[in-house]
Amino acid sequence: MRGATTSAEDGDLTERRTNIRRTSESSPESNNEPKRSDYGFHSFRDFTWHQFTGTMSTGSLAVVLFQTPYKFSGLVTAGKVIFIIDLVFFAILCVCITLRFYIHPKLIVKSVYDSHQSHDEPFYLGAFGVSAALILQNISQYGIPACGPWLVKTCEVLFWIYFACVLLAAVLQYQTLFVTRNFDLDSMTPAWLLPIYPLLVTGSMAAIIVQHQPHASASPIWICGVTAQGLGWMVTILMYGMWAIRLLTSEVPAPPMRPSMYVAVGPTAYTVTAIMALGSAASKGLPDPFLGEPPQAAARTLYVVAVVAGTFLWLFAFWFFALTTVLVALHGKQLTPNYTWWSFIFPNAGLTLATIQIGKAYDSPAVNYLCSVMTAALFLGWLFVSASLLNAVRKGRLG
């Protein structure tokens, strides 16, 4: 009888173990898949500077829609709608991140300074600065023609406030990163470029604002745009060298994070845009007199130099774009929605703007048609990325 009882108990124990094993194998945790509750926004703590990559991309799309060749009234209207969406999106994020810091005040310091190498939020502070620059550029493009002189003066004042803030932030942030962190080059990501990005878009923003300013205020803004772009480009060259070493000596980023490699397209692309746009605006931006001569003569020569320099650099930006596209396509099935997907938009908007400047300079119908195709692709890409990320948030599956 005892033997039969023992046998029955052993059978029950074996069955229970089998059921536990089956349950474990079917659970998300056993497949290394995060639980549904691990995704999405659950508190204001989850709103970080990363989210401003969305406003970077939306604002850059509005800029492209305004500047693309062969535009029509419907396209300009679409650009205005995108700009309004960007303003609302930016305002919501600003409110959310303010509430985050109000509820969790200790996170203020951590968000801009953190000694742990695995914490990359401080790099994304630059996304906030770029978003503000693109909003100011869009205000100048879409707003000034429909408003009075008061907006011209407002853009001038906002430009100088913006420049002072981003220059101070660039100095303090890199000082903090250099002093408090010991970086491992193998862990480098293109996000290391983001702290200098606000200065990289200052040149193209200055070129737009100058067009609406009186000469007395246009000249200082133009000169400031040139110097800011120079600083941004020189720091980028240093970062490009480290990025190349990282790619040569270690593995490329994992497939889900590989879209972030498009960030490397942006610095060169926006520098091409700035050089050529500032060259085009030189007649209004150069001091009068310039080196003892009227600025018009020097402006024509300067624009020629700017066109040659921009053409010289454009293919470098395209090379980064092509390289990243191949690496992303090789593992396209492994891509999952996350905030690096905004990298499909913002850097490539810079490449589109650079191509627009080249088409304008050479008066090439073929290049202008290419720009129209790139603009359409960028717009469709923005719709796809926005829908994918919103759907991922809704389902609680945002990586």
Side-chain angles (χ1 to χ4, degrees):
M1 178 67 68
R2 180 179 300 175
T5 302
T6 302
S7 178
E9 290 176 351
D10 290 343
D12 291 342
L13 180 60
T14 302
E15 183 177 356
R16 286 198 298 271
R17 287 176 176 175
T18 301
N19 291 335
I20 292 173
R21 188 183 301 114
R22 288 174 180 173
T23 303
S24 175
E25 288 175 353
S26 62
S27 65
E29 290 84 357
S30 66
N31 294 325
N32 296 322
E33 294 181 2
K35 294 184 293 184
R36 184 184 181 90
S37 60
D38 290 335
Y39 289 107
F41 300 133
H42 301 286
S43 69
F44 286 109
R45 178 186 291 270
D46 295 309
F47 283 91
T48 66
W49 299 117
H50 296 74
Q51 273 74 46
F52 285 93
T53 54
T55 50
M56 284 171 61
S57 299
T58 306
S60 64
L61 176 61
V63 173
V64 170
L65 291 175
F66 184 87
Q67 296 190 18
T68 190
Y70 306 131
K71 60 177 176 284
F72 49 93
S73 58
L75 194 62
V76 175
T77 301
K80 291 179 181 179
V81 172
I82 296 296
F83 176 40
I84 293 171
I85 292 173
D86 183 43
L87 283 175
V88 174
F89 191 10
F90 184 77
I92 291 173
L93 291 182
C94 286
V95 170
C96 290
I97 204 162
T98 301
L99 289 173
R100 174 204 187 199
F101 294 147
Y102 178 77
I103 298 170
H104 308 285
K106 293 183 179 180
L107 294 180
I108 299 176
V109 175
K110 185 177 181 180
S111 71
V112 297
Y113 156 74
D114 195 295
S115 60
H116 297 290
Q117 189 169 342
S118 60
H119 184 70
D120 66 348
E121 185 183 358
F123 290 113
Y124 285 84
L125 180 61
F128 174 84
V130 174
S131 298
L134 292 170
I135 287 174
L136 182 54
Q137 186 170 339
N138 281 315
I139 289 174
S140 185
Q141 290 182 149
Y142 291 105
I144 288 180
C147 298
W150 66 271
L151 191 55
V152 175
K153 188 63 177 180
T154 301
C155 286
E156 178 192 358
V157 174
L158 290 176
F159 173 84
W160 289 112
I161 294 174
Y162 170 83
F163 175 70
C165 290
V166 297
L167 180 60
L168 180 63
V171 173
L172 294 180
Q173 191 169 14
Y174 274 112
Q175 179 271 335
T176 301
L177 294 174
F178 291 159
V179 171
T180 62
R181 289 198 181 192
N182 294 318
F183 287 103
D184 180 5
L185 197 59
D186 291 343
S187 66
M188 181 184 183
T189 68
W192 290 20
L193 291 166
L194 287 176
I196 205 65
Y197 247 103
L199 287 169
L200 283 165
V201 298
T202 302
S204 56
M205 176 178 64
I208 296 298
I209 294 177
V210 159
Q211 296 176 10
H212 304 283
Q213 298 291 324
H215 189 269
S217 56
S219 185
I221 292 175
W222 186 88
I223 294 171
C224 178
V226 173
T227 57
Q229 198 67 38
L231 173 60
W233 175 242
M234 294 308 297
V235 174
T236 296
I237 290 176
L238 301 177
M239 293 295 177
Y240 273 159
M242 291 188 287
W243 179 236
I245 293 173
R246 182 252 192 269
L247 292 178
L248 288 169
T249 58
S250 60
E251 296 181 355
V252 297
M257 305 302 294
R258 208 162 287 179
S260 66
M261 293 178 65
Y262 280 112
V263 173
V265 176
T268 305
Y270 282 100
T271 297
V272 172
T273 303
I275 288 174
M276 298 182 72
L278 288 167
S280 178
S283 60
K284 195 163 187 178
L286 287 175
D288 188 9
F290 179 68
L291 302 178
E293 299 291 338
Q296 286 74 21
R300 290 183 61 85
T301 303
L302 187 59
Y303 184 51
V304 171
V305 175
V307 169
V308 173
T311 307
F312 177 81
L313 290 174
W314 181 87
L315 195 59
F316 186 46
F318 179 79
W319 178 75
F320 269 122
F321 166 80
L323 175 64
T324 303
T325 300
V326 171
L327 290 173
V328 169
L330 286 175
H331 299 87
K333 294 182 179 180
Q334 299 182 39
L335 296 178
T336 55
N338 61 76
Y339 282 107
T340 67
W341 278 33
W342 287 119
S343 300
F344 285 118
I345 310 301
F346 172 74
N348 296 323
L351 182 61
T352 304
L353 290 169
T355 310
I356 289 171
Q357 288 293 330
I358 289 178
K360 176 183 175 182
Y362 291 100
D363 195 19
S364 170
V367 175
N368 288 335
Y369 281 120
L370 174 62
C371 292
S372 297
V373 173
M374 293 173 72
T375 301
L378 197 69
F379 181 73
L380 294 175
W382 179 82
L383 290 176
F384 175 76
V385 170
S386 300
S388 298
L389 294 181
L390 287 173
N391 186 54
V393 171
R394 183 180 63 84
K395 292 182 177 180
R397 296 184 179 275
L398 184 63

